[in-house]
Amino acid sequence: MSLPIPGVWDPDGYLLPRRPRIIVVLDEHDGPHAAAHLRRIGGIDAGRVVVRPTPAVASLPAFALDVLAALEKNPVALQRKTRTGWRHARAWLAAARPTDLVIDRAHLLPYALLLAAAHAAAENDATLWLIWAGATDPHPAIAALKAAGHETDTRHISELPHDLPAVPRHQPRAAPKPTAARPMLPAADFPLFLAHARRRLTDDAFKRLATRYGTATFHTQQWLTSTPAQAGLVPGGALDPVALIRWLREQQIGPQRSGYEALITLRATQAVLARVGILLAWDRSGLGPLPENRLPSILTSPLVRALGTLPRTEDALATALALHLEQDGGCFVCWNLADVETSTLTLHPPAEHRHVQPKTERIATLPSQERTDAAARLEIPCRHPVTLPTDTDRILRAHLARRRMDGAGPGDPLFPALGRLSPATTVAQAIRRGTRHVGCDPWWLDRERVRARRPGPRLITSSWMTERALSLEPIPHPKQAR
Amino acid sequence: MSPARKHGRGESERSARRSPADRGMVAERMFASPISRFQLAGLLGVHIDDLADANLARLPVHVLIDLAGQTDLHPADLVPDLEPLLALRRLPRADAEQPDPNTRHDAHVILAALTVTRGPLSPGALAEALDWTLERLHAALDLIAAEPDLPAPLTLHRTPRGGYFLAARADLINQEQRERLNTTADLDAFDFPPRFITLLAAAIAHGRTERYAAFKTEHLLAHNELTGLHLLLPVPGEPDQVDVHPDVIYSLTGYQTEDRIAQPPHLALAEHLRY
């Protein structure tokens, strides 16, 4: 089997030829020390990927599963061997950015798979370590690698701890001190929240609340002064509601770790925005007994880690986007590879749109419903920049690597169509697989449940704001208000 | 094999064997509960016409807990599969504590207080009326929820004509608390619409000037509602002037005042109204 000269993608998308550094580590006694040392050299976070091939592995799809398992992909999802498995493995390897790719018991692998491993190491500019155990002669394998243009070094197993040192073991964290139980927060709306908190919480509880409240106030004021135009502060200026929604989702409220923190942040934000003539209303009546728990983003760090165990990159990324935006993926088909800015994890609006315009039918509804409908119509994700949380960077990089390996260019879609399916259907299926994998069951993914929840003419799309019953409207000037 | 392992996904044997009469009784209890059918449908995630046929076994656990609590139904009545599991013995709890005796007393006070109010009160209003912290209030509410058989602090009274009635024990609530229970505005569930914010802003900036009269005329309904909620306070001898409750000023601006407003806050809330 011959493989093209491996290369490395540079930031501009050009493929640069690379030759990997390959080290064959001889372990003629096949003792337990090698395996023990490999357990101490760290994992992906330390830049090291240790592949433990399944005995008698002979095909590339099967080897791909071993590589994916080394990259912490869910083994249950790996039971189906697919032809695209190796591309997925290479994509996740590219996202992991390893410095060292270690193949334990490499003497069991056929030459073709050794070459594939060399190719994968070259793509990532990583050193390939082949742990050659037992009495098997490594020279034919070394010759095969040389014939493919790879030079190798040879070391003895005793040198491995020096050449590939163990990573210092992290001290286990001390058990966290039991924190004081979180106080109940006042249920009052923002014009009374702080006063009720001051009167109805203990001194310590109020101090903690006031600190967090003050921080949120500061951030809101800072954001208002950083935006080009601010309602109420610049005559004739109009605040961009979409920019405000984006800031609420991605910086102010979405990243809060608990309902407690989110509620305090929301109340502080509401008070500051009211001072500049914007009402950020929160209709909590339909959100259940603990409405503040609905405020933080549902794309939490544990959920991102769970998505990272998906072998298919499109499943992981589409699901992460859907949960971040709390929308089905109807608009994800618009993005191209050129619209993705990896340094900031931002997807920029494309020049042309391909999504089907969501239907919005209006009926006579309560004013609060009209407000939330208006907010939802603002949140067409492909029309505005979308920034993903920082811990999704590996997922994004893996998918971009996968698309490049498919031969996609900057003008090609981020989520291409699969087979005869339309791009929208492909994305929808990817999100279903992803949400099922992480045990998430958002109602807005299922059209039938959408119809059951909102019978009659209704707004079909959901959004981050509507899922939290948040809405924006200007506070009228007294002469205009009725 | 434990009962839990016998069942796979989908409706189990036990739930499927439940008779229509059983299902009818459960539905009847659900409909007799204090929450409305719309709230029930929202809780179960079904259309209101499908309430009786809702597949309760597929509900998330937190919804099941809420449903059982709202309808006073045993969880096994809602999901028959739970019955054998509820008989399993619990692990010994290392942090099991007996409730504070003071909390038990507070629980009785709350039960007595709720018998003298004119209607349901939110936790915030209860805390205001009793002058308690929220922590103290919720500790007592949690105890009441955990012990549904907690004896109610009622005494049996007899009318001169020989009739009987129940009344709360008079020793648990003092007179001040009793008055506040009947007069405290329940503001917890009140969401401030834009016109209220507008008028509050006007009142903060101009409440003590002649200009407020024009705002009041323009937004008379909002003015009356805010006055009814005691958030706008009449100024003695000045029918067209108001003070804003210090709680509102403090919450909106961080500006504290104990008595009359000495000067409007120097924030944009007032400037927003300049014309």
Side-chain angles (χ1 to χ4, degrees):
Chain A
M1 162 179 162
S2 65
L3 290 165
I5 296 174
V8 172
W9 298 97
D10 79 345
D12 295 323
Y14 292 104
L15 186 61
L16 306 173
R18 285 280 187 275
R19 296 283 179 200
R21 186 170 166 235
I22 301 180
I23 301 176
V24 180
V25 181
L26 302 175
D27 182 14
E28 67 272 16
H29 298 297
D30 197 9
H33 305 290
H37 181 72
L38 291 180
R39 281 195 292 273
R40 290 194 294 266
I41 64 171
I44 299 174
D45 291 336
R48 289 159 178 185
V49 176
V50 179
V51 181
R52 295 177 174 85
T54 308
V57 63
S59 67
L60 194 57
F63 184 56
L65 298 184
D66 292 330
V67 175
L68 286 168
L71 291 165
E72 300 173 0
K73 301 305 152 196
N74 191 321
V76 173
L78 303 179
Q79 285 173 1
R80 291 180 56 197
K81 290 182 253 184
T82 66
R83 285 178 298 170
T84 56
W86 182 236
R87 282 199 188 166
H88 287 299
R90 284 165 56 205
W92 285 108
L93 208 54
R97 292 180 179 164
T99 54
D100 300 282
L101 177 62
V102 182
I103 310 294
D104 192 14
R105 309 186 69 70
H107 61 283
L108 297 175
L109 291 180
Y111 300 155
L113 296 185
L114 290 175
L115 288 172
H119 186 268
E123 277 186 330
N124 296 286
D125 212 12
T127 301
L128 178 65
W129 301 81
L130 301 175
I131 311 298
W132 202 271
T136 314
D137 186 4
H139 292 97
I142 292 174
L145 288 168
K146 191 170 182 179
H150 300 296
E151 297 296 329
T152 58
D153 289 333
T154 308
R155 302 282 165 82
H156 190 259
I157 190 68
S158 57
E159 297 174 89
L160 190 63
H162 176 265
D163 295 331
L164 196 62
V167 170
R169 202 179 258 187
H170 291 288
Q171 290 301 322
R173 282 187 197 169
K177 289 180 192 171
T179 55
R182 290 205 188 280
M184 298 297 161
L185 293 175
D189 201 357
F190 72 92
L192 293 168
F193 176 80
L194 198 59
H196 282 203
R198 184 176 61 167
R199 204 162 49 247
R200 291 297 147 220
L201 297 181
T202 58
D203 290 343
D204 283 344
F206 180 68
K207 267 188 206 164
R208 286 195 297 273
L209 181 148
T211 303
R212 189 169 292 280
Y213 193 96
T215 303
T217 299
F218 172 73
H219 287 153
T220 310
Q221 288 167 338
Q222 201 178 36
W223 184 80
L224 283 171
T225 53
S226 70
T227 50
Q230 305 118 47
L233 299 181
V234 174
L239 193 69
D240 177 6
V242 178
L244 178 53
I245 291 171
R246 194 182 158 209
W247 173 73
L248 291 170
R249 177 178 61 224
E250 290 164 8
Q251 295 182 54
Q252 184 71 342
I253 295 176
Q256 299 302 324
R257 289 173 298 180
S258 67
Y260 167 84
E261 295 169 11
L263 180 58
I264 297 171
T265 304
L266 173 67
R267 293 307 188 203
T269 307
Q270 286 177 303
V272 177
L273 290 177
R275 299 206 288 266
V276 296
I278 299 167
L279 178 63
L280 172 60
W282 186 41
D283 180 11
R284 6 175 207 156
S285 55
L287 296 181
L290 291 173
E292 60 269 22
N293 289 348
R294 297 283 298 272
L295 291 172
S297 171
I298 59 176
L299 187 63
T300 57
S301 292
L303 207 56
V304 172
R305 281 199 297 279
L307 286 174
T309 64
L310 278 164
R312 291 190 194 217
T313 59
E314 61 270 23
D315 294 358
L317 182 62
T319 307
L321 272 168
L323 296 179
H324 177 60
L325 296 165
E326 298 207 41
Q327 293 194 18
D328 61 21
C331 295
F332 298 179
V333 298
C334 298
W335 285 309
N336 298 326
L337 294 186
D339 303 320
V340 181
E341 186 181 345
T342 46
S343 58
T344 58
L345 303 178
T346 301
L347 283 73
H348 293 281
E352 290 178 7
H353 292 269
R354 296 185 278 264
H355 66 267
V356 174
Q357 190 70 17
K359 295 178 191 172
T360 57
E361 301 173 34
R362 299 295 303 279
I363 56 171
T365 56
L366 294 171
S368 59
Q369 179 64 38
E370 287 180 4
R371 276 188 255 146
T372 53
D373 285 358
R377 284 198 295 281
L378 290 173
E379 291 200 68
I380 307 295
C382 51
R383 294 200 188 280
H384 313 284
V386 172
T387 301
L388 285 163
T390 49
D391 45 11
T392 60
D393 64 333
R394 197 173 284 173
I395 292 176
L396 182 62
R397 277 190 275 118
H399 186 63
L400 291 176
R402 169 66 207 280
R403 292 292 291 130
R404 287 197 202 104
M405 286 170 194
D406 290 343
D412 288 317
L414 184 63
F415 297 106
L418 188 65
R420 292 186 193 175
L421 299 174
S422 68
T425 305
T426 306
V427 170
Q429 288 189 350
I431 296 172
R432 275 190 208 288
R433 286 192 295 267
T435 49
R436 205 178 306 136
H437 178 79
V438 298
C440 221
D441 191 18
W443 70 275
W444 36 262
L445 271 189
D446 184 342
R447 293 244 155 195
E448 289 308 312
R449 272 191 284 174
V450 170
R451 292 193 178 95
R453 182 163 158 149
R454 289 176 172 162
R458 64 216 174 268
L459 184 68
I460 291 184
T461 188
S462 65
S463 72
W464 190 88
M465 291 283 279
T466 59
E467 288 305 296
R468 284 153 186 76
L470 290 170
S471 60
L472 290 169
E473 59 188 292
I475 297 172
H477 190 279
K479 278 202 157 182
Q480 296 155 1
R482 288 289 177 270
Chain B
M1 181 185 289
S2 76
R5 296 212 181 114
K6 287 185 187 170
H7 305 303
R9 298 176 104 177
E11 197 175 11
S12 67
E13 291 176 22
R14 200 183 298 267
S15 296
R17 282 202 306 266
R18 197 164 57 170
S19 68
D22 286 345
R23 292 190 197 187
M25 275 168 41
V26 170
E28 201 178 295
R29 176 71 77 83
M30 276 167 43
F31 298 152
S33 66
I35 61 174
S36 69
R37 292 195 181 206
F38 285 102
Q39 284 174 295
L40 259 179
L43 191 59
L44 302 182
V46 299
H47 194 277
I48 190 172
D49 293 339
D50 298 332
L51 269 176
D53 298 326
N55 187 351
L56 304 178
R58 298 288 302 271
L59 289 176
V61 169
H62 69 94
V63 174
L64 199 64
I65 292 171
D66 203 3
L67 181 63
Q70 299 262 20
T71 56
D72 294 331
L73 276 166
H74 193 280
D77 284 331
L78 294 169
V79 182
D81 290 324
L82 286 173
E83 188 159 8
L85 303 178
L86 292 174
L88 293 172
R89 193 179 291 179
R90 291 202 55 184
L91 289 172
R93 292 172 61 185
D95 59 347
E97 289 177 7
Q98 291 301 319
D100 187 343
N102 292 330
T103 304
R104 193 169 288 279
H105 173 78
D106 288 347
H108 287 127
V109 171
I110 289 176
L111 290 174
L114 289 173
T115 63
V116 303
T117 60
R118 286 175 294 181
L121 277 187
S122 62
L126 263 178
E128 289 284 334
L130 298 174
D131 198 19
W132 289 358
T133 62
L134 285 173
E135 286 93 338
R136 182 179 172 188
L137 182 85
H138 280 276
L141 288 173
D142 289 343
L143 179 63
I144 295 171
E147 296 186 20
D149 292 331
L150 194 70
L154 301 172
T155 52
L156 191 65
H157 294 269
R158 197 173 166 205
T159 66
R161 291 195 172 199
Y164 288 96
F165 66 94
L166 286 173
R169 277 171 45 192
D171 60 322
L172 290 173
I173 316 171
N174 60 40
Q175 188 56 32
E176 267 186 40
Q177 288 173 324
R178 196 178 291 270
E179 282 171 12
R180 285 199 298 264
L181 281 167
N182 282 314
T183 58
T184 298
D186 194 343
L187 292 166
D188 269 9
F190 184 78
D191 293 330
F192 286 73
R195 66 183 190 282
F196 277 40
I197 306 294
T198 296
L199 195 62
L200 283 172
I204 289 175
H206 306 289
R208 282 298 194 115
T209 71
E210 301 84 17
R211 292 168 77 179
Y212 185 73
F215 293 123
K216 179 180 169 184
T217 306
E218 192 76 27
H219 308 285
L220 189 58
L221 282 177
H223 168 87
N224 290 340
E225 286 190 66
L226 287 171
T227 305
L229 293 169
H230 308 298
L231 297 178
L232 289 181
L233 308 170
V235 175
E238 298 285 350
D240 288 330
Q241 292 185 10
V242 289
D243 278 332
V244 178
H245 195 290
D247 280 359
V248 175
I249 303 223
Y250 175 63
S251 299
L252 283 180
T253 68
Y255 182 82
Q256 301 186 47
T257 179
E258 296 302 324
D259 296 315
R260 58 172 291 178
I261 301 169
Q263 58 183 2
H266 59 286
L267 295 167
L269 185 61
E271 292 187 5
H272 175 63
L273 297 172
R274 288 208 178 139
Y275 60 94

